[in-house]
Amino acid sequence: TLLLSSAGMVQFKPYFTGELRSPHPRLSSVQKCFRSTDIDEVGDRTHLTFFEMLGNFSIGDYFKKEAITWAWEFVTEHLNLSPERLWASIYLDDEEAAECWLTDVGLPADRLVRLGEEDNFWGPPGAEGPCGPCSEIHYDFGSEYGCGKITCGTPSCDCDRFVELWNLVFMQFYQHPGGERDNLPEPNIDTGMGLERAAAILQGVPSAYETDLFKPIVQRVEDLSNRQYGKDQDIDYAIRVVAEHARSATFLITDGVTPGNEGRGHILRRVIRRAVRFGRRIELDGPFLSKIAETVVEHMGRQYPEL
Ligand code: SER
């Protein structure tokens, strides 16, 4: 039902539905993901078309309590994030999840927020598939990153202060193309943490573009365009678009996609055209994207030899 893997759980769909038997009831992965739904946001600090998603999955095995307490243990004891910086959101009336956060984890009640379907109900990926209520761990970068509005101060504010670090989905339903939902054979867990966001938090920088994942690519765009990152908002935006799209196009091509008029090919063409359009804003001329692709290959080829 999808053109590209838009989430870490995509290849596990037949296990969630019971169509296939999973080789193991507990799985974890690092998954190359591609999303074009919010391509027009790419260039801001948080949206990416291509990203690496870290996830753990339960196929009818552990459920909410374990997913929540283990996620908390991972971020506070293994990533060593300061608990005071962390918030959790839950789906409106998910009392079971609230109980896990407040009682099992001991999260202070004023750092638990209840959000609606748009934020805390995930899926299905594509026209139909598994879905369910979710609970997210948000990281507070601090009030200096806030939008300054009187309502700012919790993850319900959609500004740069809070970043959604980890999404824990309680996969309970199968949604059909018409929107009706059936229970899945068993409740499952699907979690997803963006490596790029985790890296930004761990490296103490405001976005993925300042992390070691992106720095050499941004540097290459700076060199080719003779522009410096961090001096002018419009130029920074263009540099980010070019860096991100060069990276994502390189990965799509590596996985066998070629530019075209339909399907995956059309998505790749859109990415390349948008990169060129923003490249022109920083006076990049000629076939500059292939030069940036070389940097992507050099920089990420050890982890992804297929590049
Ligand atoms: N499927 C969920 C997401 O993409 C959690 O992995 O956010």
Side-chain angles (χ1 to χ4, degrees), residues 153-286:
T154 83
S156 342
C157 188
D158 209 12
C159 71
D160 286 343
R161 172 168 174 182
F162 295 93
V163 65
E164 172 201 324
L165 172 64
W166 202 351
N167 189 9
L168 317 175
V169 186
F170 314 124
M171 289 285 188
Q172 282 162 282
F173 307 109
Y174 190 93
Q175 185 170 312
H176 298 280
E180 27 348 324
R181 289 175 190 155
D182 288 333
N183 283 328
L184 287 172
E186 286 175 298
N188 309 286
I189 290 292
D190 150 34
T191 85
M193 180 195 300
L195 178 71
E196 294 77 3
R197 290 181 181 187
I201 293 169
L202 289 170
Q203 292 170 31
V205 292
S207 84
Y209 298 95
E210 285 91 5
T211 66
D212 53 3
L213 285 166
F214 262 99
K215 256 194 193 153
I217 308 171
V218 167
Q219 169 94 52
R220 181 79 164 146
V221 182
E222 287 180 297
D223 292 347
L224 290 170
S225 64
N226 229 344
R227 298 288 201 287
Q228 243 188 313
Y229 186 72
K231 299 258 179 248
D232 175 288
Q233 278 192 18
D234 291 339
I235 290 177
D236 288 355
Y237 197 98
I239 291 177
R240 288 194 290 255
V241 172
V242 173
E244 202 284 332
H245 288 357
R247 189 174 93 128
S248 70
T250 305
F251 272 90
L252 285 185
I253 294 166
T254 300
D255 279 336
V257 184
T258 48
N261 289 335
E262 51 192 40
R264 295 184 246 257
H266 177 66
I267 293 176
L268 173 57
R269 203 170 91 157
R270 247 181 102 192
V271 167
I272 292 174
R273 291 177 74 130
R274 194 164 180 267
V276 170
R277 186 150 59 83
F278 281 87
R280 296 285 181 258
R281 292 197 189 172
I282 46 174
E283 290 176 73
L284 280 167
D285 275 316

Side-chain angles (χ1 to χ4, degrees), residues 46-61:
T46 50
H47 290 86
L48 301 172
T49 55
F50 171 80
F51 56 97
E52 296 171 80
M53 182 96 99
L54 314 175
N56 58 289
F57 306 86
S58 156
I59 316 292
D61 191 72

Side-chain angles (χ1 to χ4, degrees), residues 25-27 56-58 61-79 100-101 104-105 137 166 168 189 191 193:
R26 297 179 178 185
L27 306 158
N56 58 289
F57 306 86
S58 156
D61 191 72
Y62 61 86
F63 199 47
K64 279 185 203 184
K65 181 174 167 148
E66 293 85 352
I68 290 175
T69 51
W70 292 345
W72 183 257
E73 178 187 324
F74 186 72
V75 293
T76 58
E77 292 177 32
H78 298 274
L79 299 187
C100 294
W101 281 116
D104 299 314
V105 166
I137 298 179
W166 202 351
L168 317 175
I189 290 292
T191 85
M193 180 195 300

Side-chain angles (χ1 to χ4, degrees), residues 101-150:
W101 281 116
L102 299 173
T103 310
D104 299 314
V105 166
L107 188 78
D110 58 1
R111 273 194 281 121
L112 182 72
V113 289
R114 292 169 187 262
L115 302 175
E117 187 118 349
E118 194 175 321
D119 295 291
N120 277 86
F121 194 95
W122 195 86
E128 63 177 311
C131 59
C134 60
S135 177
E136 294 168 326
I137 298 179
H138 302 256
Y139 182 81
D140 181 1
F141 273 100
S143 54
E144 60 274 32
Y145 289 99
C147 59
K149 288 191 197 133
I150 196 141

